[in-house]
Amino acid sequence: AQSVTQLDSQVPVFEEAPVELRCNYSSSVSVYLFWYVQYPNQGLQLLLKYLSGSTLVKGINGFEAEFNKSQTSFHLRKPSVHISDTAEYFCAVTEDGNKLVFGAGTILRVKS
Amino acid sequence: GAVVSQHPSRVICKSGTSVKIECRSLDFQATTMFWYRQFPKKSLMLMATSNEGSKATYEQGVEKDKFLINHASLTLSTLTVTSAHPEDSSFYICSARPLGTAKYGYTFGSGTRLTVV
C-alpha cells in the first residue's frame, strides 16, 4: 500500500532564506506525486506535480521539487522564501490516479 | 482554470441534526468527486469517492449511513452528515477531476468547517 512521510512537522525559516520540505513515499508500483499548499481555513492549492519525464518539476510561486526514484523522495524547495509562503504544505501520492494519499503536512513558518 | 466551489464555508449545528455540504464544479464537468476530512493539525483523510449517477465508494471505517453522498449531476456532489454529533466536528474538503483532461488534475474546494454543539 502506498504511504507518504513528511519528515518535518514544522519548519521555521527566515525571510529570503532557502527552504526544503522533505517528502518520502512508499509504493510497490510507479506513482504520481503532488505538492499542495493550504492556507488557514482554506482548501488545497496545487503547487506542482510529477507525472513523468523530467525529474525536476517547477511549480507556482517559485517552488520546485525533484523526484528521486532510488531514494523514493520528492522534496520541495524554494531558493528564497517570503512571509506570504507561511502555510501548511502537503505531499501526496497516487498509484492509480484516483485515490490521493496525503502526508501529515509540514507547517512552514517564515520569520522576518 | 478549473474551479470548485464548496458551500457553506462554515456551519454550526445542534447535535442530532443533519447538515448538507455542496461541492460544485463551476467551469467543468466532473464524473468523479472526492470527499476528505481533516482533523485539527492532521492530514486529509479520504472518506469516499463520489461517482456521478452511481453509488459512492466509501473508505474503510467510514460509515456510509452517517455520511450520505449524492452525485446527481456532472457538476454537483453533496455530503450530508446525518444525526451529527460533536465528534463529527471537522473540516471537510471536496475535490473534483475535470472530465476529459489530464487524468491527475485534481482541484480542491475551499472546505467547510463543521462545528456540532
Side-chain angles (χ1 to χ4, degrees):
Chain A
Q2 53 194 331
S3 66
V4 179
T5 302
Q6 289 183 244
L7 296 164
D8 306 296
S9 59
Q10 291 197 40
V11 173
V13 63
F14 283 103
E15 195 173 18
E16 298 183 10
V19 71
E20 178 180 81
L21 306 184
R22 296 180 292 171
C23 172
N24 286 87
Y25 68 92
S26 173
S27 175
S28 58
V29 299
S30 296
V31 296
Y32 307 95
L33 297 149
F34 305 79
W35 274 100
Y36 287 89
V37 59
Q38 185 181 33
Y39 299 98
N41 291 312
Q42 293 189 25
L44 276 70
Q45 181 182 9
L46 180 66
L47 282 176
L48 47 80
K49 62 181 183 282
Y50 172 79
L51 303 182
S52 65
S54 173
T55 57
L56 183 62
V57 181
K58 293 191 182 297
I60 63 171
N61 301 342
F63 284 94
E64 64 180 32
E66 186 157 19
F67 171 57
N68 188 318
K69 188 174 182 180
S70 62
Q71 296 186 7
T72 60
S73 67
F74 190 54
H75 300 333
L76 180 71
R77 302 185 184 100
K78 186 170 182 177
S80 175
V81 295
H82 301 288
I83 294 287
S84 58
D85 292 323
T86 295
E88 188 159 19
Y89 293 79
F90 291 95
C91 181
V93 63
T94 180
E95 292 177 348
D96 59 4
N98 280 315
K99 182 176 179 178
L100 266 181
V101 174
F102 286 87
T106 297
I107 296 173
L108 175 62
R109 298 190 191 279
V110 182
K111 303 177 287 185
S112 59
Chain B
V3 178
V4 172
S5 173
Q6 193 172 336
H7 179 80
S9 58
R10 291 178 180 272
V11 59
I12 300 173
C13 71
K14 291 185 176 181
S15 191
T17 62
S18 295
V19 173
K20 181 185 284 187
I21 303 169
E22 293 187 348
C23 180
R24 292 180 186 272
S25 54
L26 296 186
D27 50 2
F28 66 95
Q29 294 182 325
T31 54
T32 305
M33 293 186 175
F34 304 88
W35 287 96
Y36 293 84
R37 181 173 179 175
Q38 186 176 28
F39 294 93
K41 300 186 179 181
K42 297 282 188 182
S43 188
L44 286 81
M45 180 189 73
L46 179 65
M47 297 174 66
T49 302
S50 170
N51 302 297
E52 187 267 336
S54 64
K55 291 183 179 180
T57 304
Y58 290 82
E59 295 298 303
Q60 192 172 10
V62 177
E63 300 175 61
K64 59 182 67 175
D65 294 330
K66 174 79 171 173
F67 299 99
L68 300 179
I69 291 173
N70 184 278
H71 193 155
S73 77
L74 285 171
T75 60
L76 174 65
S77 175
T78 60
L79 167 68
T80 301
V81 183
T82 63
S83 186
H85 291 286
E87 58 265 29
D88 299 324
S89 298
S90 195
F91 193 58
Y92 294 88
I93 307 176
C94 70
S95 76
R97 193 172 62 213
L99 181 67
T101 61
K103 189 177 182 181
Y104 309 103
Y106 306 89
T107 301
F108 284 80
S110 56
T112 297
R113 172 75 58 193
L114 170 63
T115 304
V116 184
V117 298

